[in-house]
Amino acid sequence: MKNIAVFASGRGSNFSAIVSAAKKGIFKANISLLVCDNPKAKVLGRAKKANIKIALVKRQDFPSKEKFEAEIIKRLKKEKIELIALAGFMRILSPGFVHKYKNRILNIHPALLPSYKGAQAIKDAFDYGAKVTGVTVHFVDEKTDHGPIILQEAVKIEKTDTFKSLEEKIHKAEHKLYPEAIRLCLEGRLEVRGRKVKII
Ligand code: GRF
């Protein structure tokens, strides 16, 4: 079975969704490592509870981004990680890192890319008055929120929705979509040609 690392910096609800999907057999892989850069992140407690190894690697402990990433790569190699799932990891990976794991890094974004890129995507769509937003799982490339799209799911913004209720709907969609994308990837069913991902 392949080894997956999840990278997260915060709450970790997607981390937990991925862990429970693995337990349920939705995809066949080991969640072998959590990479976290934030000692205060809630996700750390979730990983401890789930008995998943943690690599807490803090940017401020390294003189450069290169050295910070070199430490992460060392930990990934140690655990023989073959697939990386970014789940609210609040750091941009360098092009060098992305190349090393080309088409083996997934990210989840809480909007229908290319709309509402950035860290406030749910709020941005809500404040804009959009009627539809959603969730995207994509491969990571050198540009932020940009790589080839694997799966997307639309989420309607009803007139009764508040920011909170929209956030809940988005997270619910994420927790279903991310394990599904991981499954397709693990089963070798994703063929990347330029920007297009063909599901075979
Ligand atoms: C999610 O909304 C994800 O789309 C974005 O960051 C958020 C992480 O939430 N990239 P959580 O930490 O998984 O609860």
Side-chain angles (χ1 to χ4, degrees), residues 60 74 81 92 113:
Q60 59 269 30
K74 201 174 99 190
I81 299 298
I92 294 163
L113 290 173

Side-chain angles (χ1 to χ4, degrees), residues 132-188:
V132 178
T133 181
V135 174
T136 302
V137 182
H138 64 94
F139 283 113
V140 171
D141 68 3
E142 298 76 12
K143 293 187 204 155
T144 309
D145 299 332
H146 176 269
I149 291 169
I150 301 168
L151 292 175
Q152 288 188 308
E153 190 171 305
V155 172
K156 273 192 178 174
I157 306 177
E158 311 284 357
K159 56 177 185 286
T160 49
D161 267 320
T162 59
F163 168 64
K164 270 262 144 269
S165 69
L166 176 62
E167 206 177 33
E168 274 168 28
K169 286 203 271 187
I170 293 275
H171 289 313
K172 200 169 160 213
E174 287 185 326
H175 300 160
K176 207 175 111 257
L177 205 68
Y178 213 173
E180 177 64 14
I182 291 172
R183 182 177 70 81
L184 293 170
C185 191
L186 287 167
E187 289 175 355

Side-chain angles (χ1 to χ4, degrees), residues 1-199:
M1 278 214 286
K2 285 192 176 171
N3 294 319
I4 299 182
V6 178
F7 285 32
S9 306
R11 195 173 63 142
S13 70
N14 280 283
F15 168 80
S16 292
I18 292 168
V19 169
S20 93
K23 265 199 195 138
K24 283 185 202 147
I26 289 174
F27 57 76
K28 300 214 174 342
N30 303 312
I31 310 302
S32 309
L33 189 67
L34 166 73
V35 174
C36 180
D37 63 327
N38 172 14
K40 293 195 180 124
K42 272 197 180 154
V43 70
L44 293 169
R46 293 178 188 259
K48 277 181 201 143
K49 224 170 153 186
N51 230 343
I52 287 167
K53 223 176 246 180
I54 297 169
L56 178 60
V57 188
K58 292 181 271 173
R59 172 66 183 87
Q60 59 269 30
D61 289 347
F62 299 87
S64 65
K65 181 167 178 160
E66 211 183 329
K67 296 228 161 79
F68 165 69
E69 289 187 347
E71 174 64 22
I72 294 177
I73 290 167
K74 201 174 99 190
R75 307 291 287 267
L76 296 176
K77 288 201 168 138
K78 197 173 156 213
E79 302 303 328
K80 300 188 167 52
I81 299 298
E82 289 176 85
L83 187 68
I84 296 169
L86 305 184
F89 189 61
M90 298 311 282
R91 296 205 174 261
I92 294 163
L93 298 169
S94 70
F97 189 109
V98 171
H99 276 136
K100 259 200 186 77
Y101 289 90
K102 193 169 159 57
N103 292 341
R104 290 191 294 150
I105 311 175
L106 273 50
N107 183 43
I108 186 147
H109 185 74
L112 295 175
L113 290 173
S115 287
Y116 309 112
K117 293 182 178 184
Q120 303 289 327
I122 306 175
K123 190 170 185 301
D124 290 345
F126 185 74
D127 290 348
Y128 197 80
K131 307 285 190 202
V132 178
T133 181
V135 174
T136 302
V137 182
H138 64 94
F139 283 113
V140 171
D141 68 3
E142 298 76 12
K143 293 187 204 155
T144 309
D145 299 332
H146 176 269
I149 291 169
I150 301 168
L151 292 175
Q152 288 188 308
E153 190 171 305
V155 172
K156 273 192 178 174
I157 306 177
E158 311 284 357
K159 56 177 185 286
T160 49
D161 267 320
T162 59
F163 168 64
K164 270 262 144 269
S165 69
L166 176 62
E167 206 177 33
E168 274 168 28
K169 286 203 271 187
I170 293 275
H171 289 313
K172 200 169 160 213
E174 287 185 326
H175 300 160
K176 207 175 111 257
L177 205 68
Y178 213 173
E180 177 64 14
I182 291 172
R183 182 177 70 81
L184 293 170
C185 191
L186 287 167
E187 289 175 355
R189 291 178 54 197
L190 302 177
E191 213 173 83
V192 187
R193 285 207 206 121
R195 277 217 54 83
K196 307 247 171 76
V197 179
K198 196 169 150 196
I199 299 173

